[in-house]
Amino acid sequence: MGRIYGVHLMVLLFLGMFMSSFCQDDDSDDFTAVYIVTLREVPAAHYEAELRRNSNGIRHSGASERLNIHKHRYRNISRTDKRYSSYIARVHDSLLRRVLRGEKYLKLYSYHYLISGFAVLVTPDQVDKLSRRREVANVVLDFSVRTATTHTPQFLGLPQGAWVQGGGYESAGEGMVIGFIDTGIDPTHSSFADHTSEHPYPVPAHFSGICEVTRDFPSGSCNRKLIGARHFAASAITRGVFNSSQDFASPFDGDGHGTHTASIAAGNHGIPVVVAGHHFGNASGMAPRSHIAVYKALYKGFGGFAADVVAAIDQAAQDGVDIISLSITPNRRPPGVATFFNPIDMALLSAVKAGIFVVQAAGNTGPSPKSMSSFSPWIFTVGSASHDRVYSNSIILGNNVTIPGVGLAPGTENDTMYTLISAVHALNNGTTVADDMYVGECQDSSKFNQDLIQGNLLICSYSIRFVLGISTVNHALETAKNLSAVGVVFYMDAFVIGFQLNPTPMKIPGIIIPSPEDSKVLLKYYNYSLERDIMTKKIVKFGALATICGGFKANYSSSAPKIMYYSARGPDPEDNFLDDAEIMKPNLVAPGNSIWAAWSSVGADSVEFQGENFAMMSGTSMAAPHIAGLAALVRQKFPNFSPSAIASALSTTASLYDKNGGPIMAQRAYAFPDQNQSPATPFDMGSGFVNATAALNPGLIFDSSYDNYMSFLCGINGSAPVVLNYTGESCWVYNSTIAGADLNLPSITIAKLNQSRTVLRSVMNVGGNETYSVGWSAPFGVSVKVSPAHFYIASGEKQVLSVFFNSTANSTTASYGRIGLFGNQGHVVNIPLSVIVKITYNTTKT
C-alpha cells in the first residue's frame, strides 16, 4: 500500500495566495468559477473495457474504431502506472497554456480514468475560449452536492442466511473492496481494525490505491481493512468555504457521516456499541470481511462540489474498487436535455463500464412524487425503510396517566415518584421569562434556583431551536446535572408539529415527549397540581409527581419494514420540465431509519452524539451502504456478474411484505407520518425490501450492457451532441436506439401508453435447469399478456419474454402491476410494472 506524505498545507497556502491575486480585479467580467471540462479524447476506462471485451471474443466495431484512434497512446501503460497519470496531466496543461496564453487560471484536477478532462478555475471569457477549441467536447459549471448497525444484520437474516452461504461472518465479503465517496473516516475506530480475526487478511491484488499521510491522518492509519484513503477539496478551497481546522485537509472524518456509512457496509463484526455508558449490543457491517477504501469529497461545513466528487469517483475506479457507495445527492436537478447528463452520472456510467457496481442514496426529499435525486438506470438507487427494532420511553404521572416518549436514557430508581418542577417556575430572582423568552429550554444553569430543583424532575421545553441546533439536549442535561436534578422531562413546543425525533442518548433519567398533544396532557396535570397563595398567586407547593420508565430496552414491531416519509419517491424525472423517465426509481429499499453505526471521535453531524463512538442516524444515506455491503456478498459468490446482474439479483428477489405478512406500507406525510400511510407502490419502494439471502440464489437475471445504456441515451430527443461531448462516442455508431422501457431492466415503467405497446425482456438462468410458469397482475386501466406463459430454461441459457400492454381506460394517474416468474425449483422472480399515462382509442363522436 502506497502513501502520500503531507503536502496539503502547501496546497492550501498556494490556493489561498492564488485566489487573493485572482480576485483583486472587481470587474464583473473577471468573476471566476470552477468548470468541469471534458475532452473528445476517449477515457482510459473505455479503452481497458474494450480490451476486456475483445479478449472475450466480443467486439463492437464502431466503438473499437473510435478507441483505436488513440490506443497507441495507452499501449504498455496501465491505469496503475504513474506515467499514465502524469502524461494525461501534461496533455491538459499544454492545452490550457495554448488556449489561455499568459492569462491566470487554476487547474484543480486532471481526470485520468473515467472522464477525459479536467476541472479548472476560470473566468466566463476564458470558458468561451475553451469551448471554441476542437479538442473540448463539453464545459459544465461545477455544482454543489449534499449528504442525503447492531440489529439490521439479524433483521435481514444474515447470520442464518447469506453469511452462512459464504462460510460465516469471518469470510463475508472477503476479497471485495468497497469505495466510499463521503466525509472521510475515523481510522482509530475498532470497526475498521484489522486484527479482529486470526484468519489471513491480505489486501486484494487488484487494488492499487494509496493512503494519504497527514497530521490528522498519520502513518499507520491504514491497515489490511482500511486499505485506501484520500481527500479531494480543490473546488471547495477555491470557493473559500474550506475551513482546515474543522473540515480537515485529510481523509479524517470531521463530520461522522462517512464513518457511519462505511461501518454499515463493511464494519467489523461483533463490535460493542456503548453510548452514554450503556451497552446497546454488538455492531456488524453487512460484509464484515470486505475491505474499505475512502475518497473524502464531502465536508462538515458545506457539503461538497461535483468537481471534487468526480475526482474522487475517477480515483476510486482507477484504484480498482469493486463497488462505489455514494450517500450523496445533487442539491438540484441537473439542467439540460436530461437529468442523466451530468458529470457525476456520466462518470459513474464509465465506472459501470469498468465493471464497478454503483450504489446511491435516493435522497431525503420525500414523500412527494418526483422527489427522486438519483436518476440514471446504471446507478442502483436505494430508498429508506424502517426495521423492526424501536426504542421507546415513557413517563407515568401521579394521576396514573402514562405518556409515551423517546430518549435513550435510564429510568428513575425503583419506580419512585419524584416532584415535577417547570424550569420557568424555578428561576433565580434576577431572571424572568420577559428577559429571556427561551429560558425554559434549560440551556444555562446560572438562570435557575438550585434549591428548588435539586432532587426533583426538571421540565424543559423543546422548541424549533433544538431542531435547528441552536439549543441542545446535552446543554439541558448539563444544566440538570449542575442543579442536582434527578432527571429531565422535555415537552414539545406547540409550534413543532409532527417533527420526528430519533432516540437521543442521555446519561441521566430523561424523556422527550414528541407529541404536542401529549405535551398538553403533561402541562395540564402539572398546572392543575400547583398550589398557589390566594393573595400573591405565588406557588407554595409543587404537587405534580412522575416517574420515568427509561428507554434503553428495545422493542420489536411486526409492522416493519415501512417506507419512511423522507425517502425520495418516483417517478424518475427525466428533465427539469418533470417529464417522466421510463426508469423505475428507487430500485429497492433497505433499512435506513434509526441505524446504529460507528461514529467519528470528533463527529459533529449530530450534536447529541458528540464524543460518542457510535451514533443512531436515519436517512437514505444509511440505506445505501446496506446495499453496498450486500452487493459485495453477491459479487463474492458470483465474481463474473456484471453490475446490472448484481442489480437484478438484488431486485428480483426483494420482499413485498412486512414481518406480519401484510403489504409494506409507505408514510405519506412529513407531519404525523404514522397516521398518514398506505400500501407502498413501486415508486415508493422499487422492487421491494431487500432480501439478502434470496439475492444469493436469484435463479434468473436481467443483464444490461454499456452499449444498451448508450443506445438508451442516444434515443433521447436532442441528445446526440451531448452524448458525444460526455463519452467521446458518436450515436451513429449505435445502429438503433431504445426507449427507457426497452432497457433490459428487472422492472418495466411506461411513461405514456398510447393504445398498446410490446416490451421485451431477456432473462439468463444462473441456477440449475428449471421450468417456470408466468403470472401477472395488470395495472389499473391496462390489460397485460406475457408470452410464453410457461418455459423450460437450462442452466446458462437465455429466454426472451414478450410483454404486451393495452390501454383500457384514459387516465393520467399512475397505476401498478407485477409479473411473477415461478420456478419449479423454488425460484421466484419479481418484476414490478408501472404505467403512468394511459390513452385508449379515441371514441368521441363529432
Side-chain angles (χ1 to χ4, degrees):
M1 225 178 323
R3 290 180 171 84
I4 294 179
Y5 286 88
V7 296
H8 304 286
L9 180 59
M10 289 191 296
V11 172
L12 284 167
L13 290 172
F14 169 75
L15 285 171
M17 290 186 294
F18 183 90
M19 289 301 296
S20 64
S21 64
F22 210 142
C23 300
Q24 286 175 353
D25 192 338
D26 293 332
D27 191 332
S28 61
D29 289 340
D30 288 338
F31 175 76
T32 60
V34 176
Y35 290 83
I36 299 171
V37 179
T38 52
L39 306 178
R40 298 192 188 280
E41 184 90 15
V42 176
H46 291 217
Y47 175 68
E48 290 190 0
E50 193 67 25
L51 290 179
R52 286 195 298 272
R53 283 156 51 112
N54 290 341
S55 68
N56 292 327
I58 304 170
R59 183 175 175 83
H60 187 304
S61 60
S64 298
E65 289 167 8
R66 180 81 185 166
L67 290 160
N68 284 339
I69 295 172
H70 302 292
K71 76 175 186 178
H72 67 279
R73 301 187 184 182
Y74 302 126
R75 186 178 295 142
N76 300 325
I77 303 180
S78 74
R79 63 174 168 79
T80 61
D81 195 319
K82 292 181 180 179
R83 291 177 298 161
Y84 171 73
S85 296
S86 60
Y87 163 72
I88 292 295
R90 289 196 305 273
V91 169
H92 297 164
D93 291 338
S94 175
L95 172 63
L96 284 166
R97 282 195 301 271
R98 292 197 311 272
V99 177
L100 307 177
R101 295 177 181 273
E103 298 179 20
K104 291 179 181 176
Y105 63 88
L106 179 62
K107 189 189 75 173
L108 308 181
Y109 297 109
S110 279
Y111 301 129
H112 297 142
Y113 193 60
L114 299 178
I115 287 181
S116 177
F118 50 85
V120 63
L121 180 71
V122 286
T123 66
D125 180 60
Q126 291 171 322
V127 168
D128 184 58
K129 291 179 181 178
L130 284 167
S131 300
R132 283 185 276 131
R133 293 290 297 198
R134 61 179 178 82
E135 302 99 318
V136 173
N138 202 33
V139 182
V140 178
L141 181 66
D142 193 15
F143 55 89
S144 60
V145 297
R146 59 189 169 198
T147 55
T149 94
T150 55
H151 176 64
T152 48
Q154 284 73 25
F155 184 60
L156 295 171
L158 300 183
Q160 298 79 36
W163 285 350
V164 173
Q165 291 190 31
Y169 71 83
E170 286 206 329
S171 58
E174 189 162 348
M176 299 294 105
V177 182
I178 306 177
F180 296 89
I181 316 296
D182 215 300
T183 64
I185 196 167
D186 182 348
T188 67
H189 201 285
S190 54
S191 290
F192 312 123
D194 65 353
H195 50 71
T196 58
S197 171
E198 296 179 358
H199 290 63
Y201 200 20
V203 174
H206 68 270
F207 183 77
S208 61
I210 62 172
C211 279
E212 292 181 9
V213 174
T214 70
R215 184 181 62 183
D216 308 313
F217 208 84
S219 178
S221 294
C222 284
N223 52 36
R224 292 171 298 161
K225 175 74 172 179
L226 173 58
I227 59 175
R230 293 175 179 251
H231 87 286
F232 302 84
S235 183
I237 293 169
T238 62
R239 295 166 184 266
V241 298
F242 188 88
N243 183 338
S244 59
S245 63
Q246 70 171 13
D247 294 318
F248 297 99
S250 76
F252 187 81
D253 184 9
D255 180 273
H257 189 273
T259 300
H260 202 269
T261 57
S263 70
I264 291 172
N268 287 327
H269 180 269
I271 306 302
V273 178
V274 178
V275 174
H278 184 79
H279 182 226
F280 288 95
N282 295 328
S284 175
M286 300 300 102
R289 195 65 171 171
S290 288
H291 302 270
I292 293 169
V294 169
Y295 302 87
K296 177 179 172 181
L298 288 98
Y299 296 84
K300 181 172 78 172
F302 54 87
F305 298 97
D308 295 328
V309 171
V310 170
I313 294 169
D314 192 65
Q315 189 62 58
Q318 191 173 347
D319 288 347
V321 302
D322 298 287
I323 295 161
I324 290 177
S325 179
L326 298 108
S327 287
I328 62 174
T329 57
N331 279 325
R332 58 180 175 84
R333 285 192 187 91
V337 173
T339 51
F340 320 117
F341 294 114
N342 67 81
I344 293 177
D345 283 34
M346 296 308 291
L348 293 173
L349 175 59
S350 289
V352 168
K353 183 175 186 179
I356 299 168
F357 182 72
V358 176
V359 187
Q360 185 177 25
N364 298 332
T365 48
S368 299
K370 301 188 185 183
S371 52
M372 187 56 54
S373 297
S374 175
F375 313 109
S376 298
W378 51 87
I379 298 172
F380 198 80
T381 303
V382 187
S384 176
S386 66
H387 54 93
D388 63 345
R389 184 197 59 208
V390 293
Y391 292 95
S392 57
N393 199 341
S394 60
I395 182 171
I396 302 174
L397 306 181
N399 59 1
N400 285 326
V401 172
T402 299
I403 298 176
V406 298
L408 299 170
T412 46
E413 291 184 5
N414 303 320
D415 299 326
T416 303
M417 287 283 181
Y418 290 91
T419 300
L420 288 163
I421 295 187
S422 173
V424 296
H425 293 153
L427 301 176
N428 278 332
N429 290 334
T431 303
T432 66
V433 176
D435 295 331
D436 184 356
M437 63 185 295
Y438 302 114
V439 69
E441 296 174 5
C442 306
Q443 300 297 292
D444 184 355
S445 59
S446 67
K447 303 285 182 71
F448 301 100
N449 184 336
Q450 182 171 359
D451 293 336
L452 283 175
I453 293 172
Q454 66 181 8
N456 298 316
L457 291 173
L458 178 63
I459 299 177
C460 305
S461 66
Y462 191 105
S463 77
I464 192 68
R465 288 162 53 88
F466 284 81
V467 180
L468 299 174
I470 300 170
S471 297
T472 70
V473 169
N474 284 344
H475 281 144
L477 295 174
E478 192 64 29
T479 294
K481 182 179 177 182
N482 291 339
L483 299 172
S484 302
V486 170
V488 183
V489 179
F490 294 92
Y491 70 89
M492 189 62 63
D493 187 287
F495 294 102
V496 187
I497 299 174
F499 182 70
Q500 297 295 296
L501 290 174
N502 275 331
T504 301
M506 306 181 196
K507 293 184 178 180
I508 64 174
I511 185 172
I512 306 173
I513 301 172
S515 163
E517 293 304 314
D518 287 340
S519 297
K520 290 177 184 177
V521 172
L522 168 71
L523 296 176
K524 183 177 180 180
Y525 165 69
Y526 172 80
N527 289 321
Y528 182 80
S529 302
L530 293 173
E531 292 185 19
R532 295 180 182 269
D533 183 274
I534 297 176
M535 301 295 293
T536 64
K537 304 299 182 184
K538 289 185 177 180
I539 299 171
V540 295
K541 183 180 179 182
F542 296 93
L545 302 173
T547 185
I548 297 173
C549 298
F552 285 150
K553 186 178 179 180
N555 299 308
Y556 296 89
S557 165
S558 62
S559 62
K562 61 185 172 187
I563 312 305
M564 299 310 298
Y565 65 92
Y566 53 77
S567 187
R569 311 297 166 93
D572 187 13
E574 183 170 282
D575 51 41
N576 273 322
F577 298 107
L578 297 184
D579 292 329
D580 298 315
E582 293 189 319
I583 307 296
M584 177 72 72
K585 292 291 180 178
N587 295 82
L588 201 68
V589 293
N593 204 62
S594 299
I595 305 298
W596 280 121
W599 197 242
S600 173
S601 57
V602 297
D605 190 31
S606 176
V607 294
E608 313 307 348
F609 289 97
Q610 278 186 324
E612 302 286 357
N613 288 322
F614 283 84
M616 179 182 285
M617 303 293 287
S618 297
T620 56
S621 282
M622 284 67 248
H626 276 87
I627 297 301
L630 297 177
L633 303 184
V634 177
R635 172 151 278 178
Q636 181 186 18
K637 182 173 180 180
F638 300 102
N640 294 323
F641 265 21
S642 68
S644 62
I646 296 172
S648 174
L650 290 164
S651 298
T652 61
T653 57
S655 173
L656 305 175
Y657 305 101
D658 66 17
K659 279 183 62 180
N660 211 30
I664 294 174
M665 303 297 282
Q667 296 177 335
R668 302 289 177 197
Y670 174 83
F672 308 111
D674 280 334
Q675 287 132 44
N676 293 277
Q677 56 185 25
S678 61
T681 74
F683 288 154
D684 300 317
M685 65 176 181
S687 293
F689 184 82
V690 65
N691 183 333
T693 303
L696 296 180
N697 185 22
L700 304 176
I701 59 154
F702 297 77
D703 209 356
S704 295
S705 67
Y706 172 81
D707 285 353
N708 297 144
Y709 297 132
M710 288 292 289
S711 294
F712 158 69
L713 292 175
C714 288
I716 297 171
N717 189 32
S719 67
V722 187
V723 171
L724 179 63
N725 289 346
Y726 270 113
T727 67
E729 296 184 37
S730 174
C731 282
W732 65 262
V733 167
Y734 297 88
N735 295 325
S736 61
T737 61
I738 58 176
D742 296 315
L743 278 168
N744 197 44
L745 304 175
S747 61
I748 300 175
T749 298
I750 298 177
K752 181 183 288 187
L753 178 60
N754 191 349
Q755 301 176 11
S756 64
R757 180 172 178 179
T758 299
V759 174
L760 302 180
R761 287 293 184 269
S762 175
V763 294
M764 184 172 73
N765 188 1
V766 294
N769 300 347
E770 196 161 3
T771 299
Y772 283 85
S773 60
V774 184
W776 61 86
S777 61
F780 177 79
V782 178
S783 65
V784 172
K785 183 178 181 181
V786 184
S787 59
H790 303 272
F791 60 90
Y792 168 82
I793 183 168
S795 179
E797 295 299 313
K798 294 183 178 181
Q799 172 69 50
V800 174
L801 300 173
S802 175
V803 186
F804 177 75
F805 294 85
N806 184 61
S807 178
T808 60
N810 289 307
S811 174
T812 58
T813 302
S815 54
Y816 312 97
R818 203 162 291 277
I819 297 172
L821 310 180
F822 304 94
N824 64 351
Q825 300 301 314
H827 293 111
V828 178
V829 177
N830 162 45
I831 308 167
L833 311 175
S834 60
V835 181
I836 302 173
V837 176
K838 279 80 67 175
I839 302 172
T840 63
Y841 287 102
N842 186 358
T843 59
T844 304
K845 293 182 179 180
T846 56

